[in-house]
């Protein structure tokens, strides 16, 4: 795997959000003050998490994209695919207020030596919360740049000590029809729970994270609270939200969109501008936040592996990425 070449550009230098800059400055000052005074409570206790609350973070190992501006917090949190709350882009924002993301536990099991149930608040104190500014490319041919806060998925998997037979990681999302209107009534868009999967080497890649926040704050419901998968070289539908189970297995796990429409959505879902969706081209993408309404906005060429080819292309050496879409 080749080393990442571009220079490190901190998120604070490229984000257009003055509020984000002010927040980062405030956090730095609070952290310094707490260290100097020996005072606890500069940040909320892990067992008292609230949505949209500031998190104490550290810089992650990968630089932000030098060629893109960070999408605004408003756009990121108001333009979403989260069918558990409805199929419209604003439905997750409008329909998710009843969802309760805390307290939250998830299971790690399957081919592991130490299966366990993990409390997310405990998890967030066990590992540093890293700032990761990543491109996000939807299979619908639109894109954002999102400043996630997350934990490397490998760190979480390693807690359970996978056996040598494990080859894949399966994920399962929450089912709460009383809190998620897209899961109740007639005409539901897909079977529940939402499921996804990765090869173990993809899951262990340093780019792959479990996000617990964005813009330095805990995730809002519409963004996948309290934890979601982020694999930046794959189309966004791989990013399963509100995860309840992580299972190590020796068989390729199902993923919801492949089960629903196997001719359109494959297991790998690697961003590839040379492989069109059966109903549209993937050669370019519409940049959310660049104006022009739903069908307008700036269009830019799509990058293979979403611009992360130097890091991940070796994972697929010898594979036909047209057949394994």
């Amino acid at each position: 795997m080749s080393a990442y070449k571009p220079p490190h550009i901190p998120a604070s230098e490229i984000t257009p959000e003055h509020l984000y800059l002010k927040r980062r400055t405030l956090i730095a000052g609070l952290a310094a003050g707490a260290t100097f005074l020996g005072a606890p409570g500069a940040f909320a206790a892990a067992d008292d998490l609230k949505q949209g609350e500031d998190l104490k973070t550290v810089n992650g190992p990968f630089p932000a994209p030098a060629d893109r501006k960070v999408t605004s917090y408003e756009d990121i949190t108001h333009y979403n695919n989260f069918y558990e709350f409805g199929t419209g882009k604003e439905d997750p924002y409008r329909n998710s207020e009843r969802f309760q993301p805390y307290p939250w536990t998830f299971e790690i099991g399957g081919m592991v030596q130490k299966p366990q149930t993990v409390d997310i608040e405990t998890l967030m104190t066990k590992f540093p919360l890293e700032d990761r500014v990543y491109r996000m490319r939807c299979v619908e041919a639109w894109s954002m740049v999102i400043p996630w806060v997350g934990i490397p998925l490998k760190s979480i998997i390693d807690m359970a000590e996978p056996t040598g037979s494990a080859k894949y990681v399966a994920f399962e999302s929450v089912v709460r029809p009383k809190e998620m209107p897209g899961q109740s009534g007639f005409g539901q868009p897909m079977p529940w729970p939402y499921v996804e999967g990765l090869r173990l080497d993809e899951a262990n890649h340093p780019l792959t994270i479990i996000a617990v926040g964005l813009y330095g704050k805990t995730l809002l419901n519409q963004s996948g609270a309290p934890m979601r998968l982020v694999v930046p070289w794959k189309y966004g539908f791989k990013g399963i939200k509100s995860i309840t189970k992580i299972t190590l297995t020796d068989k390729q796990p199902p993923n919801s969109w492949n089960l629903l429409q196997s001719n359109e959505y494959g297991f790998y879902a690697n961003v590839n501008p040379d492989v069109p969706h059966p109903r549209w081209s993937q050669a370019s993408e519409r940049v959310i936040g660049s104006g022009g309404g739903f069908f307008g906005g700036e269009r830019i060429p799509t990058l293979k592996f979403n611009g992360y080819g130097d890091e991940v292309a070796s994972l697929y050496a010898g594979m036909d990425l047209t057949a394994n879409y």
Side-chain angles (χ1 to χ4, degrees):
M1 185 184 304
S2 60
Y4 196 85
K5 301 299 184 184
H8 180 77
I9 302 176
S12 59
E13 292 185 7
I14 67 170
T15 176
E17 294 263 307
H18 72 281
L19 188 61
Y20 182 54
L21 293 172
K22 288 174 64 178
R23 184 195 65 78
R24 298 296 293 170
T25 302
L26 175 62
I27 285 177
L30 286 173
T35 301
F36 179 75
L37 296 173
F43 302 90
D47 60 357
D48 192 30
L49 285 171
K50 298 178 178 64
Q51 288 193 313
E53 187 167 356
D54 285 339
L55 295 169
K56 183 177 181 180
T57 65
V58 299
N59 288 331
F62 294 95
D67 59 336
R68 299 280 300 276
K69 292 183 179 180
V70 175
T71 307
S72 73
Y73 189 79
E74 178 80 6
D75 284 328
I76 293 171
T77 57
H78 286 68
Y79 193 94
N80 306 100
N81 283 327
F82 199 168
Y83 282 14
E84 287 88 336
F85 296 113
T87 58
K89 292 294 185 285
E90 290 195 353
D91 284 350
Y93 162 71
R94 298 179 188 277
N95 300 332
S96 61
E97 63 179 12
R98 288 180 297 179
F99 184 71
Q100 298 296 320
Y102 306 111
W104 191 271
T105 59
F106 63 97
E107 299 175 12
I108 307 178
M111 291 182 167
V112 299
Q113 298 181 55
K114 294 183 177 179
Q116 54 195 276
T117 298
V118 182
D119 178 87
I120 190 171
E121 292 146 343
T122 301
L123 181 78
M124 291 169 67
T125 60
K126 182 179 179 66
F127 298 105
L129 303 181
E130 298 182 5
D131 287 315
R132 300 286 193 102
V133 184
Y134 286 160
R135 298 180 184 89
M136 196 286 286
R137 171 60 153 79
C138 182
V139 74
E140 298 169 341
W142 54 266
S143 67
M144 297 181 177
V145 175
I146 301 179
W148 299 110
V149 176
I151 299 164
L153 177 57
K154 184 180 189 302
S155 298
I156 299 172
I157 291 173
D158 285 351
M159 292 193 307
E161 298 183 8
T163 68
S165 300
K167 298 179 180 178
Y168 295 90
V169 184
F171 303 87
E172 185 174 311
S173 188
V174 71
V175 178
R176 293 187 190 170
K178 291 184 178 180
E179 299 176 24
M180 307 176 103
Q183 291 181 336
S184 62
F186 296 103
Q188 295 177 42
M190 60 176 55
W192 310 112
Y194 195 96
V195 293
E196 256 303 341
L198 297 171
R199 279 190 342 212
L200 183 56
D201 59 346
E202 296 176 318
N204 284 337
H205 192 279
L207 281 167
T208 306
I209 62 170
I210 293 295
V212 296
L214 64 85
Y215 263 107
K217 302 175 183 293
T218 53
L219 292 174
L220 300 182
N221 286 340
Q222 63 264 35
S223 300
M227 55 183 290
R228 60 173 290 166
L229 177 67
V230 176
V231 192
W233 69 93
K234 295 179 180 287
Y235 291 119
F237 69 83
K238 295 294 286 188
I240 185 171
K241 306 173 180 74
S242 304
I243 297 168
T244 59
K245 290 184 181 180
I246 299 175
T247 305
L248 281 291
T249 176
D250 60 352
K251 296 179 175 60
Q252 181 174 300
N255 58 310
S256 286
W257 279 102
N258 178 254
L259 292 172
L260 196 65
Q261 293 173 282
S262 60
N263 66 315
E264 297 187 355
Y265 306 101
F267 173 78
Y268 283 96
N270 291 322
V271 176
N272 191 340
D274 300 323
V275 178
H277 185 280
R279 289 180 281 137
W280 57 79
S281 170
Q282 296 288 18
S284 66
E285 61 204 56
R286 181 172 53 89
V287 179
I288 299 300
S290 60
F294 186 84
F295 293 106
E298 179 189 7
R299 295 201 72 89
I300 61 173
T302 290
L303 302 174
K304 193 167 185 178
F305 296 116
N306 206 23
Y308 298 98
D310 286 348
E311 293 76 33
V312 303
S314 62
L315 295 175
Y316 311 102
M319 288 182 61
D320 182 350
L321 297 181
T322 302
N324 295 288
Y325 55 88

